[in-house]
Amino acid sequence: MKLSEIVTYLNLLESLQVHEEASEATRKLAAVLHVITNHAVQVNTCSQDLEQDFAAVKTALGNFDATLTQIKQHLTQLLHQQEPAYLAESFRLFDQEMRHDSVSYTLNRRLAIDAESDIALRFRLKNLTDWRCPGMIIGPGTETFIEDLVPLDPLYVVDQHQELIAPSVQKFTVEYQRRLRQYVVNDHVPQSILNQLPDSQFGLIFAYNYFNYRPMEVICRYLQEIAAKLRPGGTFIMTYNNCDRAHGVGLAERSWMCYTPQRLIVAAAKSYGLEQVSAQDAPGDVSWLEFARPGDIETLRGGQSLAKIIAIPQ
């Protein structure tokens, strides 16, 4: 049985909400029993019989829930048995194949995202932009999310090659391009990835369609460094291939993206001192996580040194 089939079954069982349904059924039967046992008219031993039946129903529902839990536990064990191979394959894919992806191929990769989720993500970004804090976008590509981040001052633009940064930067005026801080990084070497960037400065760091193609080992390295780059109260939002969903596992099995379950990313982020703020799964390919460094945003800025930048809706 493939891992995607196991996760599909787990996702289905988790969506059934059997415990809630059983609790509601028990509550309704208890209300009926209360009416009958407390009514002035009693028919033979029916009240006592119903009490015994009700107790039997509760026992049966409990047994049903316990059996269902056993099925989930068995599926989870199967998942954990197969997971190491998927994690290893994702690292091999990243290290031996994805590193050779051309610039054009990388720039042309797209995530399927519905309009409602796209609006929700952009709305969240705009609520977090603040000219008093520097910001960072990792892997801007040819998407337009960078336009939602221009109020951040300054805005750092980070990717693996200058050719990957150029399309996002060239859409702005020459004057604004001079204000952008462009950095090329390399996450294929064991050294620090973001060592060129300042610590404890960023109010918002965002990555879209970037960590979908990084294995857990590399994501953990980024999380540790990003936790140090954020200022207290700062936020990190990342899209990723959520392999706690069957859709995500299927993408990993076809070598389109890396195997990166939400539960492993959240656990890693927590170990580096980041707090999970939210987790969203869109109908298509897009899942995103929002983390924050504990604390409150503080700044000594009283005004922008250069002209204020405002994002104008298209």
Side-chain angles (χ1 to χ4, degrees):
M1 183 183 298
K2 293 196 302 184
L3 188 56
S4 57
E5 295 171 334
I6 294 172
V7 176
T8 297
Y9 194 11
L10 266 173
N11 291 166
L12 174 60
L13 294 179
E14 290 166 354
S15 70
L16 295 178
Q17 299 180 332
V18 173
H19 183 74
E20 290 80 358
E21 297 291 344
S23 297
E24 180 64 13
T26 301
R27 185 189 66 79
K28 290 182 177 180
L29 289 175
V32 173
L33 182 62
H34 177 77
V35 171
I36 294 174
T37 56
N38 289 279
H39 199 277
V41 178
Q42 295 292 314
V43 180
N44 300 324
T45 61
C46 289
S47 292
Q48 294 85 344
D49 293 342
L50 283 176
E51 287 178 342
Q52 293 176 3
D53 292 341
F54 180 62
V57 167
K58 289 198 296 182
T59 300
L61 288 173
N63 293 338
F64 187 93
D65 189 54
T67 301
L68 185 60
T69 299
Q70 289 178 1
I71 296 173
K72 292 179 183 178
Q73 290 173 344
H74 177 69
L75 292 171
T76 301
Q77 289 174 356
L78 293 176
L79 184 155
H80 289 160
Q81 289 171 8
Q82 293 195 28
E83 190 165 70
Y86 278 69
L87 292 168
E89 171 58 20
S90 282
F91 186 82
R92 186 205 66 78
L93 183 68
F94 167 78
D95 189 53
Q96 298 181 22
E97 297 185 27
M98 288 181 173
R99 70 188 306 165
H100 302 299
D101 289 344
S102 67
V103 169
S104 60
Y105 176 81
T106 301
L107 290 175
N108 286 323
R109 289 189 300 214
R110 290 289 186 274
L111 296 179
I113 182 171
D114 64 292
E116 183 177 350
S117 299
D118 183 77
I119 292 172
L121 179 55
R122 292 177 188 275
F123 182 77
R124 183 59 182 155
L125 291 175
K126 290 176 181 178
N127 279 344
L128 291 168
T129 55
D130 188 336
W131 62 265
R132 294 174 300 173
C133 301
M136 184 196 311
I137 182 168
I138 303 175
T142 56
E143 304 286 352
T144 60
F145 288 102
I146 191 172
E147 297 172 21
D148 299 316
L149 304 180
V150 294
L152 295 163
D153 189 17
L155 178 60
Y156 290 69
V157 188
V158 176
D159 212 322
Q160 296 289 304
H161 304 285
Q162 185 62 40
E163 293 84 355
L164 294 173
I165 295 175
S168 65
V169 172
Q170 291 171 354
K171 66 179 67 177
F172 296 109
T173 64
V174 174
E175 291 76 14
Y176 183 65
Q177 288 182 37
R178 296 195 188 103
R179 295 178 63 170
L180 294 171
R181 310 287 177 86
Q182 303 175 47
Y183 285 87
V184 174
V185 299
N186 186 356
D187 52 25
H188 284 281
V189 295
Q191 290 86 358
S192 174
I193 303 170
L194 304 175
N195 60 300
Q196 305 174 69
L197 285 78
D199 289 340
S200 300
Q201 292 299 312
F202 293 92
L204 174 63
I205 299 176
F206 176 62
Y208 183 86
N209 201 20
Y210 185 83
F211 291 109
N212 299 68
Y213 310 98
R214 265 69 186 171
M216 280 304 307
E217 292 93 333
V218 176
I219 289 178
C220 288
R221 289 173 59 198
Y222 272 102
L223 287 171
Q224 184 175 20
E225 295 191 33
I226 285 171
K229 301 304 174 185
L230 289 173
R231 62 177 58 195
T235 300
F236 171 47
I237 298 179
M238 60 175 283
T239 67
Y240 67 110
N241 183 34
N242 186 4
C243 291
D244 283 338
R245 296 199 301 167
H247 179 75
V249 181
L251 293 174
E253 288 176 342
R254 294 190 290 277
S255 299
W256 289 353
M257 297 183 190
C258 289
Y259 180 82
T260 53
Q262 175 184 310
R263 55 194 156 77
L264 297 185
I265 295 177
V266 170
K270 183 178 180 181
S271 71
Y272 299 128
L274 295 174
E275 297 178 346
Q276 180 184 348
V277 176
S278 66
Q280 302 291 332
D281 290 313
D285 298 333
V286 179
S287 296
W288 71 85
L289 285 163
E290 179 178 336
F291 298 106
R293 180 177 171 181
D296 297 317
I297 289 282
E298 294 182 358
T299 178
L300 298 177
R301 284 189 180 181
Q304 289 181 274
S305 57
L306 297 173
K308 182 179 180 181
I309 302 295
I310 301 175
I312 300 176
Q314 298 296 319

